[in-house]
Amino acid sequence: MLKLEHISKVYPAGRNEYAGGIRDADFNLEPGTFFTMLGPSGCGKTTTLRCIAGLEEPNKGRILLDGRPIFDSEAGLSIPMHRRNIGMVFQSYAIWPHMTVFENVAFPLKVSKAQRYTAAETDKAVNEALEVVGLGGYGARSATQLSGGQQQRIALARAIVHRPKLLLLDEPLSNLDATLREGMRVELKRLQSELGITAVYVTHDQTEALAMSDVIAVIEKGRVQQFGSPEDIYFRPANEFVAGFIGHTNILRGKALGGAPDAVTVELGAGVTIRCHADCEQKPGETVAVSIRPENITLAGLREAAANENSNSLSGQVGSVSFLGNVLHYEIRVGDQTMQVESNPDRRFEPGADVAISFAPRHGRVLPVV
């Protein structure tokens, strides 16, 4: 449905410096996909979105929508935004305060050059869009009389009123408070699914991306680091950046001692070894990083810990403990490294306590050190 072929939009910078933009973005989305570009501020995700929209012109590459090129650097083709049949929701919503809700939503139809709408067609399309976003009957109200969440719904209604093939969303929930954001995440995903529309979403919020997406592209400094499902991104990170950016994780460094991919032995130092999973064979003596999620670690008192040949077990000492409501967050000193552990709050270990931490080999992911 949407295909990017080696799209690059690079801004001038000094040698070996990154000044923003995207390099060699290449992906293909099926119809009805909710796709998220995730990464830190300035990584190039919004630049990519603006290239798809026609607000920026890439330096090179091709963009195809429904098999039809809308940008091709070699052919000198760049279809203007108003002819791409794309809806877009901005971070600021861009609601016109002097217009009613109806007039805001109707605006794209009134200025459309691709199709002329009669008054009856406009009324029908606007009222249908308002019903879809849960604002039926709000048409006559002033846009400024509505809450932030309602204004965001107006922006969504305006973006879908002309039934676009593609919906682009540039951090549309970032101006909402935490509780409202969570509700709108569910609502936005429901709307996208019901409409069957392909959506491209930009955010730096990992929870948002994991909760809403069918496919995620994790971007760092203009490069796509990993492209896959939320489960792949979280449980099978491609590298150290992805593992550290998506949720919380422990990154331990050591040397591979060999073994099968599903049970690679890694020496952490001082004779301490663990067994972990790797996606490919590791050369003995090669420096590697191991990612272990805090929620996959079991915590017990030293005297309570039972030996388990199918699990890694390490001794440590509690450095700090924080109550987060549903979990206790610990920092455990293990040799010269510190590990984060999340545990049930029913049992608490105080700072200074000697503890045993254990995790299954499959929960330790061996990653290449770049």
Side-chain angles (χ1 to χ4, degrees):
M1 193 278 175
L2 175 67
K3 189 174 185 180
L4 270 65
E5 296 179 348
H6 306 291
I7 285 294
S8 291
K9 174 64 178 179
V10 181
Y11 301 104
R15 190 175 182 180
N16 298 325
E17 293 181 2
Y18 174 69
I22 190 73
R23 291 177 171 86
D24 204 33
D26 195 270
F27 50 77
N28 188 12
L29 304 181
E30 296 295 326
T33 299
F34 196 110
F35 169 61
T36 296
M37 289 185 285
L38 174 67
S41 297
C43 71
K45 54 190 185 295
T46 293
T47 296
T48 308
L49 193 81
R50 290 173 64 85
C51 287
I52 297 170
L55 296 171
E56 296 274 3
E57 187 166 302
N59 302 123
K60 65 176 183 178
R62 286 209 313 165
I63 302 174
L64 295 90
L65 186 60
D66 264 358
R68 180 176 67 96
I70 57 176
F71 175 82
D72 189 327
S73 59
E74 291 189 1
L77 172 70
S78 183
I79 303 296
M81 181 182 183
H82 67 271
R83 290 178 52 205
R84 294 190 180 192
N85 195 17
I86 288 173
M88 190 162 184
V89 179
F90 297 92
Q91 182 177 352
S92 63
Y93 312 149
I95 301 299
W96 287 286
H98 64 287
M99 293 184 182
T100 64
V101 170
F102 183 95
E103 290 167 338
N104 266 280
V105 177
F107 187 80
L109 306 181
K110 292 185 177 180
V111 299
S112 172
K113 295 181 180 179
Q115 180 179 346
R116 297 293 181 183
Y117 293 85
T118 65
E121 288 172 335
T122 299
D123 285 350
K124 184 174 183 293
V126 171
N127 288 325
E128 285 179 352
L130 288 174
E131 287 290 342
V132 166
V133 300
L135 290 178
Y138 281 68
R141 297 194 186 189
S142 170
T144 56
Q145 294 177 343
L146 303 184
S147 67
Q150 290 172 324
Q151 288 188 18
Q152 193 254 13
R153 290 169 184 264
I154 297 173
L156 276 172
R158 185 176 58 196
I160 64 173
V161 69
H162 62 295
R163 300 286 174 167
K165 293 182 178 179
L166 184 65
L167 179 61
L168 307 180
L169 304 112
D170 189 6
E171 304 209 44
L173 307 182
S174 61
N175 291 331
L176 303 179
D177 62 62
T179 302
L180 189 54
R181 282 182 75 162
E182 187 172 345
M184 286 307 302
R185 281 203 302 262
V186 175
E187 195 66 13
L188 184 55
K189 177 61 179 175
R190 180 189 66 80
L191 289 174
Q192 180 267 339
S193 182
E194 285 186 0
L195 293 171
I197 196 170
T198 304
V200 178
Y201 193 90
V202 162
T203 185
H204 61 269
D205 187 311
Q206 299 96 326
T207 302
E208 216 164 78
L210 292 172
M212 300 171 68
S213 310
D214 300 312
V215 182
I216 298 173
V218 182
I219 304 174
E220 182 200 23
K221 293 183 178 179
R223 300 281 186 184
V224 176
Q225 300 295 314
Q226 189 170 356
F227 181 92
S229 70
E231 290 80 6
D232 281 338
I233 298 291
Y234 189 83
F235 292 115
R236 292 172 286 280
N239 55 41
E240 204 171 328
F241 172 79
V242 176
F245 188 77
I246 307 298
H248 300 290
T249 196
N250 295 286
I251 300 292
L252 307 179
R253 292 184 179 274
K255 290 189 180 298
L257 300 181
D262 59 346
V264 173
T265 300
V266 176
E267 184 179 25
L268 299 179
V272 177
T273 61
I274 56 176
R275 289 178 299 118
C276 306
H277 176 88
D279 289 328
C280 59
E281 188 174 344
Q282 304 296 310
K283 297 177 181 178
E286 187 174 9
T287 299
V288 296
V290 177
S291 169
I292 311 161
R293 299 287 182 187
E295 66 269 24
N296 290 329
I297 299 173
T298 300
L299 192 61
L302 276 182
R303 295 180 180 178
E304 305 166 342
N308 183 345
E309 63 180 12
N310 296 318
S311 180
N312 295 292
S313 184
L314 302 172
S315 299
Q317 188 177 71
V318 176
S320 67
V321 55
S322 303
F323 176 67
L324 302 181
N326 60 328
V327 296
L328 290 174
H329 181 87
Y330 293 92
E331 287 192 351
I332 310 292
R333 291 189 294 270
V334 179
D336 59 355
Q337 306 196 58
T338 298
M339 296 184 66
Q340 301 175 70
V341 179
E342 291 182 353
S343 182
N344 193 303
D346 288 344
R347 174 79 184 279
R348 183 184 182 109
F349 295 92
E350 297 300 332
D354 293 322
V355 292
I357 63 174
S358 60
F359 60 93
R362 64 189 174 88
H363 288 143
R365 303 287 303 185
V366 175
L367 305 173
V369 174
V370 180

